[in-house]
Amino acid sequence: MYERGDLFNPACGTRVVLDRIGDKWTALAVLLLQHGPLRFTELRDGIGRVAPKVLTQTLRRLERDGLVTREVFAEVPPRVVYALTPMGRSLITPLTTVSNWAEEHINAINTAQSQYDATV
Amino acid sequence: MYERGDLFNPACGTRVVLDRIGDKWTALAVLLLQHGPLRFTELRDGIGRVAPKVLTQTLRRLERDGLVTREVFAEVPPRVVYALTPMGRSLITPLTTVSNWAEEHINAINTAQSQYDATV
DNA sequence: AGTAGCCAGTAACCAATAGATACTATCGGG
DNA sequence: CCCGATAGTATCTATTGGTTACTGGCTACT
C-alpha cells in the first residue's frame, strides 16, 4: 500500500496542510501579509468580499497554527495588528510559486473553460 | 489603490486560481495523478474519504480547466481513466513546493496548535 | 435460468462551511 | 450626550461537501 508515496495516507503532512491552507481565504491572507503587518480592516478591505466572521475564523486558525501573530493594542478605537511569524514568512515562497503559475496559466485556463463549455 | 500588488484586485489570476485549486480535493487529485493516469476508483480509494459525487465534481472541474483528461473505454464494467494534461503536469512543481513545505513544517504546526490550545 | 458482482457514476437528502446583515463595547471629540 | 471609529460577535441564509442508496450492462457463478 502507499507505493506511490504517502499521499495515499490521509494523515500525511501534505494532506493536513493542504486541507488547512486550502480553504477560501487562508493562502490569500498570508500573501497579503507578506509585505508587512496589517490591521483587521486592512485585510478585510484588501480581500474585498469577506465577511468579518469568516476573516476572524481564518486569522484565528492562522494564529493557532503559528503562522500569524495577533497583537492587540489597548486603545480606543481598538487596534489589532496581524503579522507573519518566521514560519508564516517561510510559506511565502511556496505560495509565490503557485501564484506565479496562476498568473502564467490563467489565460489558458479561461480558454479551456470556454472550449469545454462550448462542447457541452 | 492596489499599491501592494494586484492581490488586492479580486480579479487577479492568483486569486482565481487559489479559489479553484483551494477546494478540498483538487490539489490532492492533481498530486495523486502525477505518477500516471488513474481510474475513478483508484482516485477514490487513494483519497480515502471522498464521496463519489464530490470526486466527480472535482474531476469535472479539472477537466473543464484543461488540467485533466477523461478517457472513457466502452467496456463492461466501464473504465474511465483520468490523466494530467501538459498544463496539469506543469502544476505539479508549484504544488510540490507547497507539499515539501508541508512535510517540513507539519510538526511545528502541530506543536503551535497544542501550545495555542493550552493557553486558551 | 437466475442472480450476484463489477465500475462509474446519479439521486436524494443531510451536515458543515461561507456569506450577509445587523449589532456590541469603548472612549474621545463636538 | 450623542457620534464615529475599530474589531469584532450574533443571527440567519446560501453554498458546498458528505452519506447512503441506486442504476445499467455484461460476465461469472450456481
Side-chain angles (χ1 to χ4, degrees):
Chain A
M1 220 52 88
Y2 305 155
E3 65 274 8
R4 285 187 185 79
D6 62 359
L7 274 177
F8 281 82
N9 174 12
C12 82
T14 298
R15 293 182 61 157
V16 172
V17 169
L18 277 179
D19 201 41
R20 271 291 297 104
I21 71 169
D23 69 358
K24 208 164 170 58
W25 305 115
T26 296
L28 190 56
V30 172
L31 284 175
L32 286 175
L33 286 171
Q34 69 181 304
H35 299 298
L38 292 175
R39 302 177 61 171
F40 185 84
T41 42
E42 292 176 318
L43 282 165
R44 191 198 55 196
D45 298 344
I47 289 178
R49 291 207 163 273
V50 64
K53 185 194 69 174
V54 179
L55 182 57
T56 299
Q57 287 171 353
T58 301
L59 292 168
R60 287 292 192 287
R61 275 195 300 253
L62 282 170
E63 191 191 358
R64 187 171 108 99
D65 291 341
L67 298 171
V68 155
T69 58
R70 177 174 176 270
E71 190 177 7
V72 183
F73 294 85
E75 302 171 358
V76 170
R79 186 159 59 100
V80 178
V81 172
Y82 293 91
L84 293 178
T85 63
M87 179 157 70
R89 275 193 294 278
S90 75
L91 182 53
I92 291 292
T93 302
L95 286 185
T96 299
T97 66
V98 174
S99 172
N100 290 338
W101 183 93
E103 300 296 339
E104 286 167 20
H105 293 87
I106 182 63
N107 288 331
I109 288 175
N110 285 330
T111 302
Q113 285 182 359
S114 302
Q115 286 181 0
Y116 183 92
D117 294 346
T119 64
V120 181
Chain B
M1 221 51 92
Y2 304 155
E3 64 274 7
R4 285 187 185 80
D6 64 355
L7 273 177
F8 281 82
N9 174 12
C12 82
T14 298
R15 293 181 63 158
V16 172
V17 169
L18 278 179
D19 201 42
R20 269 292 297 105
I21 70 169
D23 69 358
K24 208 165 168 59
W25 305 116
T26 296
L28 191 56
V30 171
L31 284 174
L32 286 174
L33 286 171
Q34 68 182 307
H35 300 298
L38 293 175
R39 303 178 59 170
F40 185 85
T41 41
E42 292 176 316
L43 282 164
R44 190 198 56 198
D45 298 345
I47 290 178
R49 291 205 165 274
V50 64
K53 184 194 69 171
V54 179
L55 182 57
T56 299
Q57 287 171 354
T58 301
L59 293 168
R60 287 292 191 285
R61 275 195 301 253
L62 282 169
E63 190 190 358
R64 186 171 108 100
D65 290 340
L67 297 171
V68 154
T69 57
R70 176 172 177 271
E71 191 177 6
V72 183
F73 294 86
E75 303 172 358
V76 170
R79 184 159 59 100
V80 178
V81 172
Y82 293 91
L84 293 178
T85 62
M87 179 157 70
R89 275 192 295 277
S90 75
L91 183 53
I92 292 293
T93 301
L95 286 185
T96 300
T97 66
V98 174
S99 172
N100 288 339
W101 183 93
E103 299 296 338
E104 287 167 19
H105 293 87
I106 182 65
N107 288 331
I109 288 176
N110 285 331
T111 302
Q113 285 183 359
S114 303
Q115 287 181 0
Y116 183 92
D117 295 346
T119 64
V120 182

